[in-house]
Amino acid sequence: MRFSASLHFISLAASSFAAELAPDPRYIFENPPVSAAGYHIPTSYKSAVLGRRILALTPLGTPATVFPDSPGSRQPASIAGMPHGLLEYVADCEDEGNPTFLAINVESTFRNVQAGSNISLAQRWTPPYPPAKRIRSTFFDWVFGRAEAPDHDVPYSAVNLPRYSLLGYIEKIDSASTEALSSCFLSKHPDAKFWLPGSQVHESHFVRLVVTQIYWIGGFGDRAFIGWIPIDEWKNVTRKEWEAVRLPGEEKDWDEGTIDL
């Protein structure tokens, strides 16, 4: 009898847990008003503002290109047409939503671009502080109030945080801007001084990724915008706007279960 009562309690608790964490699936397409109780999905424009802040604060990203149909003599023939992504230094030096790269001519990424490849850039937000309160990962954690173990390799839920892919093409920046770009780029990447244009180590030049499309994942789909951000919204975000917002984990003692984007 006691066992049956316990099962009944667990069943009721499970129903309550599911109701709390999983609203009607149609909810994620409705974007209810701010005054509505429970979850609220941000607009694409607010997501654009957050994305522009990520671009301004995130010095690393992974550009992806495609190997040409006729690879060079030092490359395997089998890589023709295959995608290729490698970590790269990034800076937001023009404040127009177009990332700045220091393109080194021998790099495979920019060799692919020279051969005609378009390019995308993936970046994600990495919070400087771990959350004070974690998302509970199991039903029993929720029922019995068990906290997450503090020794996770990644001390936050990475898929609950915003990230994006910027798609477009590479455009060389006029050499007249080299001095200003060098100052901006070195403020993010001091070690890049060895590869600046005119270096004896590598032939290089500054380029911009001219963004034409933005695919955004703000986090979990029941509370974050997921989809394509219109290019005019991305371009129209002002410095004042992105400086006024805060991303999850920019400040201490945040709760990753109640992220308000």
Side-chain angles (χ1 to χ4, degrees):
M1 204 52 192
R2 290 181 180 176
F3 179 71
S4 177
S6 297
L7 286 178
H8 180 65
F9 165 75
I10 292 174
S11 177
L12 288 174
S15 299
S16 173
F17 176 71
E20 177 181 323
L21 293 186
D24 187 311
R26 292 170 296 182
Y27 188 96
I28 65 175
F29 300 109
E30 294 172 358
N31 197 27
V34 176
S35 58
Y39 299 101
H40 167 67
I41 297 175
T43 64
S44 59
Y45 189 77
K46 183 169 185 182
S47 299
V49 175
L50 294 169
R52 290 289 301 274
R53 184 166 182 83
I54 292 174
L55 177 60
L57 298 182
T58 305
L60 301 174
T62 303
T65 56
V66 176
F67 283 110
D69 292 335
S70 300
S73 59
R74 302 170 74 179
Q75 298 172 327
S78 59
I79 67 172
M82 295 187 70
H84 177 63
L86 285 174
L87 184 73
E88 192 65 58
Y89 283 176
V90 184
D92 183 22
C93 291
E94 298 183 297
D95 202 27
E96 296 179 357
N98 293 325
T100 303
F101 295 105
L102 178 57
I104 299 175
N105 290 3
V106 297
E107 285 186 309
S108 54
T109 293
F110 298 105
R111 288 170 65 90
N112 287 347
V113 168
Q114 286 294 320
S117 174
N118 282 333
I119 188 170
S120 67
L121 172 67
Q123 288 188 294
R124 65 186 180 95
W125 172 242
T126 301
Y129 300 107
K133 187 176 181 181
R134 295 295 313 273
I135 289 177
R136 303 250 173 83
S137 60
T138 70
F139 160 68
F140 289 100
D141 289 337
W142 179 80
V143 170
F144 299 110
R146 296 193 306 223
E148 293 282 4
D151 57 349
H152 290 296
D153 291 338
V154 179
Y156 50 81
S157 175
V159 294
N160 190 38
L161 294 171
R163 63 269 195 197
Y164 56 68
S165 178
L166 306 180
L167 294 83
Y169 59 92
I170 289 294
E171 183 175 82
K172 188 174 181 178
I173 302 176
D174 192 301
S175 58
S177 303
T178 295
E179 184 175 351
L181 290 173
S182 296
S183 176
C184 168
F185 204 84
L186 291 180
S187 70
K188 295 287 186 181
H189 309 286
D191 57 323
K193 66 182 180 181
F194 300 109
W195 313 299
L196 290 176
S199 165
Q200 300 300 311
V201 179
H202 289 297
E203 185 179 353
S204 66
H205 54 279
F206 285 108
V207 300
R208 64 174 66 91
L209 167 54
V210 180
V211 177
T212 59
Q213 300 287 345
I214 307 97
Y215 189 74
W216 169 266
I217 299 179
F220 293 142
D222 60 356
R223 66 199 69 186
F225 177 78
I226 296 177
W228 296 96
I229 294 177
I231 186 62
D232 59 328
E233 293 185 357
W234 181 262
K235 297 292 187 183
N236 289 338
V237 173
T238 65
R239 172 180 284 270
K240 183 178 180 180
E241 287 177 303
W242 66 252
E243 286 183 340
V245 299
R246 289 296 177 269
L247 292 156
E250 282 198 69
E251 299 174 352
K252 295 181 178 180
D253 300 323
W254 59 290
D255 180 351
E256 71 175 354
T258 56
I259 290 176
D260 181 15
L261 295 180

